[in-house]
Amino acid sequence: METFVCAGCGRIYLEQSERCGHCGAEMEERPASGRGIVYSFSSVHMGARGMPTPYLLALVELEEGGRILARLADDDESEPSIGGKVIFSGLSDTGPVFRML
Amino acid sequence: MRGVSIVGAGITPFGVREESLVALGAIACRNALEDAGLGPERIGAFFLGNFAGQAFVGQNHIAPMVAHATGLGAVPCTRLEGACASGGLAMRQGVLAVASGQVDFALIAGVEKMTCAETDETASILAAAGDVAVEASVGSTFPALFGLIARRHMHEHGTTREEIAHVAVKNHAHGKLNPNAHIQKDVTLPQVMDARPVADPLGLFDCSLISDGAAAVVLCPSETASAHHEKPVEVLASAQASDSPALSDKRDITTFYATQKAGEEAFSQAGLSREDVDLAEIHDCFTMAEIIALEDLGFFARGEGGRGAVEGMTKLGGAMPVNTSGGLKSKGHPVGATGVAQIHELTLQLRGEAGARQVPGAEVGLAHNLGGSGATCAVHILGATA
Ligand SMILES: [Zn+2]
């Protein structure tokens, strides 16, 4: 997993860009293991327009530090839990997706 | 800076309203002017809180439209947008305009018309109060953000699902006594706990209402206030603070830094302590948000806010009733109107005019208005005339 971290505000991105979309500062490339833990999660039953429900949202804390909001793959049989281990499984139309370990 | 007082307050009933966005605003404004016994020609500046006129009804630039419909003439009209704190920001700008001596009378209003949109469309419009690039794009909605916050708060501080649900039961019990509330009926604890999930752990009754409505107040210098109302209400503090909206930018999502800062600043301005507050209108966009605000404002220690509704301290008859109006939960949450409607409720209470929900002998009230997931916060403290 490749991450791009803003040198100004510290935001983590999974796609490369010249400058941070939040603050405009320059980005630094940072290799990441793709491993993280669930900081919090919610199963969304009434969602945003055009998004089939339910889906799992999680705030994931990466092993290297920093948090990102992501989808948790819900084709999994295990229940998410705070502190539960997750691994990056790819980028979808709705951003990063993690899978429970 | 001179002291500022409220000499007029007006509101429309909250709920599903037939009137247009602009007409709702104008009705609340006329009610407030009438309450102050002032003609529109006396007003020197108009500040209007509105979040998403364009997105909900296709109309922007509504401050001069509401002003024209109210007969304010050529006065400077300014619309404030700070998500769900838009009304609180309008109030603060009005206070500053009068306190600085720039104008002698300021009219403040807040308005939103939301019920014309479908629920999922509304969820998407409201999601734009968060950081769209990293939140809405992933499928997060406001209930989802507060679901994440609630689950973390339960995990870190031991707050229980039942404590969170008690906030809804309490606020509905209060709203039942408010003839302007959107929903004037009780809900039971099992109803809240077993309601259809929206973004777990939060269910349907943990979420505030999608409403139409408007509220307005008239401000003038305290030194002349008694000439315009027999019971002027003094603005003892007007504070505002900011933070990043994105949950991923926050070190701790179980607290809102902007509320802490605005609260500290407000108590310092007023020279009062937490024990001096007789009642509060707290931004309960979600049940969990009321609990966090009670902690952030210093009324309860971290992790103890859930006790308020369960043990009755924040109920009518308790030590510091919270959301006697019914709050956003039961009175309703026309986003841009909310911050001004909180001021309206405190004004009634501090005049002793709140009817069945009156807090006996109320002298000091606090209004807490939060924008989005905590990026903007306005806190006002009001005092009754001695
Ligand atoms: Zn940045």
Side-chain angles (χ1 to χ4, degrees), chain A residues 6 8-9 20 22-23:
Chain A
C6 172
C9 71
C20 172
H22 183 53
C23 75

Side-chain angles (χ1 to χ4, degrees), chain B residues 317-345:
Chain B
M320 186 191 73
V322 169
N323 288 326
T324 56
S325 66
L328 286 54
K329 181 73 227 27
S330 167
K331 178 191 60 193
H333 184 26
V335 171
T338 284
V340 184
Q342 293 177 325
I343 302 293
H344 177 274
E345 173 70 8

Side-chain angles (χ1 to χ4, degrees), chain B residues 249-263:
Chain B
D249 286 341
K250 297 181 203 287
R251 230 172 309 164
D252 182 352
I253 66 167
T254 67
T255 176
F256 292 122
Y257 186 64
T259 298
Q260 290 184 32
K261 294 302 286 181

Side-chain angles (χ1 to χ4, degrees), chain B residues 39 64 84 99 103 120 137 161 183 207 230 257 313 368 370:
Chain B
C84 316
V103 299
D120 62 347
S137 62
R161 178 67 188 93
I183 294 186
C207 304
E230 58 173 355
Y257 186 64
M313 285 89 92
H368 162 263
L370 188 75

Side-chain angles (χ1 to χ4, degrees), chain A residues 7-85:
Chain A
C9 71
R11 270 207 185 170
I12 299 163
Y13 295 83
L14 302 184
E15 284 171 291
Q16 190 163 16
S17 60
E18 285 266 307
R19 289 184 177 274
C20 172
H22 183 53
C23 75
E26 286 181 21
M27 306 290 295
E28 288 166 0
E29 213 171 315
R30 188 177 75 179
S33 66
R35 282 191 292 271
I37 57 164
V38 174
Y39 180 76
S40 193
F41 67 96
S42 176
S43 173
V44 181
H45 293 261
M46 292 172 74
R49 179 150 245 198
M51 293 195 182
T53 53
Y55 51 88
L56 279 169
L57 272 185
L59 204 49
V60 172
E61 192 158 87
L62 297 178
E63 197 170 64
E64 295 78 13
R67 295 184 197 131
I68 51 177
L69 190 65
R71 295 286 188 100
L72 274 187
D74 36 20
D75 54 355
D76 218 276
E77 280 157 31
S78 53
E79 285 283 302
S81 63
I82 289 181
K85 290 182 176 155

Side-chain angles (χ1 to χ4, degrees), chain B residues 33 39 72 78 142 262 291 349:
Chain B
L33 287 169
L72 296 185
T78 308
F142 264 87
I291 292 174
Q349 288 280 359

